[in-house]
Amino acid sequence: RVHLNEQKIIKKAITDEERKMNKDQRNEAMFKFGYAIVDGHIEKVGNYNMEPPGAFRGRGEHPKMGKLKQRVAPEQVQLNMSECSRVPPCIVPGHAWGDVRHDPQVQWLSQWKENINNQVKYMQLAAQSSFKGKSDRSKYNKAALLCENIDKIRDSYKKKLKSKSLETKQLGTAMWVIDRLALRVGGEKDTDEEADTVGCCSLRVEHLHFDPNGEGGDNCEIELEFLGKDSMLFKQTIDFGAAMYNDDNGMGTTVYQNFKTFCKKKKPSQDVFDSLTPTALNAHLKEIMEGLTAKVFRTYNASKTLQDELRKTEDLVSWKRLTAAEKVVE
């Protein structure tokens, strides 16, 4: 920390001329390494700088926090390019690239394996590239397809909510949670290797607090508290008896009763959805609609909400444009 603070002070103390020189050097590196020719088009590269060695931080309370990230040697790096391209020379004296591939079926430009989690890292095209645009278009096309089938899908999982089969009831409840609360599917984690993050299928009894304010009676509130993706805290009190979850046969109170049943006589460390696996849930989603995932539900619901809010704004603007006489007629 002391070293980092010193570096900040040094950066602030440099002259305008030095600052301009540093900017010119960054631009020179960007123009040299920051672009690639793909299918005859110039595309911007996302991450062309190799991460330097240092202490691993991770997200949240990562079990491997503090371990040393080793320097990546050129021999660990694989390049991917067309057969007719000139292989860029390795600028590190005495070293050479580990491998050169010519695979047009993948989008990565280079890859290497880091030593902390033994995961493969990639150099990819930037978010502004046409490939990313195609990916986004595909994502929203799936959400549009879901829009055409959403009523049928909701009718299907609502029937499952009252099933006598525990497995079917848990499947219907998980579908409701993914649709209405925008939770991810979740999966089993090796907490010795990665942070204990949670999704729908991996919810434990300790993550649910019934009637958190102690109101008693017909209270249908549950406080959900857990670490989601990237160890971001999800802490929200859901009133399953509220109109927003019960209007138009929303069945929020039924979901609340199901949660009470799933948690009954269980220890805090036990799974809420003990009869449902992420594999079974994902397989069910794909049976309903090709390419359907929990992410598609989130994209659809977020797009629908934005569309509805924009329509309200448009209606308000149109209303304000009316004269007083026109408003009376309206």
Side-chain angles (χ1 to χ4, degrees):
R1 178 59 63 184
V2 173
H3 171 74
L4 293 175
N5 289 336
E6 287 177 353
Q7 292 302 310
K8 285 182 181 178
I9 294 171
I10 291 172
K11 279 186 178 180
K12 287 180 180 178
I14 62 174
T15 63
D16 291 341
E17 186 178 342
E18 289 173 322
R19 190 172 285 109
K20 183 180 181 300
M21 188 183 302
N22 290 340
K23 184 179 179 181
D24 291 341
Q25 289 174 350
R26 287 196 301 270
N27 287 337
E28 184 182 347
M30 183 186 68
F31 289 124
K32 186 175 181 180
F33 304 111
Y35 293 90
I37 299 176
V38 184
D39 296 336
H41 300 282
I42 296 178
E43 300 280 8
K44 199 169 189 306
V45 175
N47 52 325
Y48 57 86
N49 285 316
M50 183 69 72
E51 191 174 3
F56 177 72
R57 173 64 182 87
R59 292 186 172 96
E61 297 298 322
H62 202 287
K64 294 187 175 182
M65 185 191 304
K67 288 196 172 186
L68 181 64
K69 291 183 292 184
Q70 297 174 356
R71 186 182 300 278
V72 178
E75 286 77 9
Q76 297 172 251
V77 178
Q78 292 185 22
L79 303 182
N80 185 36
M81 59 187 65
S82 57
E83 294 183 19
C84 60
S85 298
R86 182 179 72 90
V87 178
C90 176
I91 61 173
V92 183
H95 292 268
W97 303 120
D99 190 20
V100 177
R101 294 174 57 179
H102 311 292
D103 188 353
Q105 303 301 317
V106 297
Q107 292 185 24
W108 57 266
L109 307 175
S110 70
Q111 69 169 25
W112 63 94
K113 190 173 284 188
E114 51 87 27
N115 69 295
I116 300 294
N117 297 307
N118 210 29
Q119 292 179 340
V120 177
K121 298 289 186 179
Y122 298 95
M123 184 171 81
Q124 305 266 23
L125 295 174
Q128 308 96 298
S129 70
S130 61
F131 281 83
K132 179 61 177 173
K134 291 173 185 175
S135 173
D136 286 343
R137 184 166 65 243
S138 174
K139 178 176 72 173
Y140 287 106
N141 284 341
K142 286 179 183 176
L145 187 59
L146 176 59
C147 183
E148 297 173 6
N149 296 279
I150 192 66
D151 291 335
K152 181 178 68 175
I153 292 170
R154 284 173 175 166
D155 288 341
S156 173
Y157 73 63
K158 284 174 185 176
K159 290 176 183 176
K160 291 180 173 63
L161 291 174
K162 293 188 175 182
S163 173
K164 292 181 180 179
S165 165
L166 178 62
E167 187 175 338
T168 304
K169 186 181 288 188
Q170 289 196 356
L171 178 59
T173 305
M175 289 286 294
W176 190 98
V177 168
I178 286 171
D179 182 18
R180 301 304 300 271
L181 303 184
L183 263 61
R184 290 175 167 81
V185 171
E188 294 182 359
K189 297 266 187 177
D190 183 354
T191 52
D192 291 332
E193 294 294 322
E194 50 191 330
D196 182 23
T197 57
V198 173
C200 180
C201 289
S202 50
L203 281 171
R204 298 190 293 271
V205 176
E206 62 188 330
H207 299 135
L208 280 69
H209 308 289
F210 292 87
D211 191 12
N213 298 316
E215 296 177 6
D218 297 331
N219 184 276
C220 292
E221 290 184 348
I222 300 178
E223 184 186 64
L224 293 172
E225 183 177 2
F226 56 86
L227 294 180
K229 185 181 178 182
D230 295 337
S231 295
M232 295 296 294
L233 177 64
F234 182 101
K235 185 174 182 180
Q236 191 173 342
T237 299
I238 312 296
D239 184 2
F240 290 87
M244 65 180 293
Y245 296 124
N246 290 278
D247 288 349
D248 299 324
N249 194 31
M251 302 186 74
T253 52
T254 303
V255 173
Y256 175 81
Q257 292 302 325
N258 286 353
F259 271 124
K260 290 197 77 173
T261 302
F262 300 158
C263 295
K264 193 174 181 181
K265 296 181 180 179
K266 283 184 180 177
K267 295 178 181 178
S269 59
Q270 288 184 285
D271 290 337
V272 174
F273 295 99
D274 53 345
S275 298
L276 181 65
T277 64
T279 304
L281 180 54
N282 283 319
H284 177 69
L285 290 170
K286 287 178 174 61
E287 285 176 9
I288 295 172
M289 192 187 93
E290 185 179 355
L292 181 60
T293 63
K295 183 179 180 179
V296 179
F297 274 103
R298 293 196 298 276
T299 304
Y300 163 75
N301 284 318
S303 301
K304 181 74 166 58
T305 301
L306 177 61
Q307 179 178 298
D308 293 344
E309 291 302 315
L310 287 174
R311 187 171 289 123
K312 289 178 187 176
T313 305
E314 289 170 0
D315 292 343
L316 181 61
V317 170
S318 299
W319 173 259
K320 287 182 176 178
R321 286 174 179 168
L322 296 177
T323 64
E326 287 172 330
K327 289 179 180 179
V328 172
V329 174
E330 287 287 326

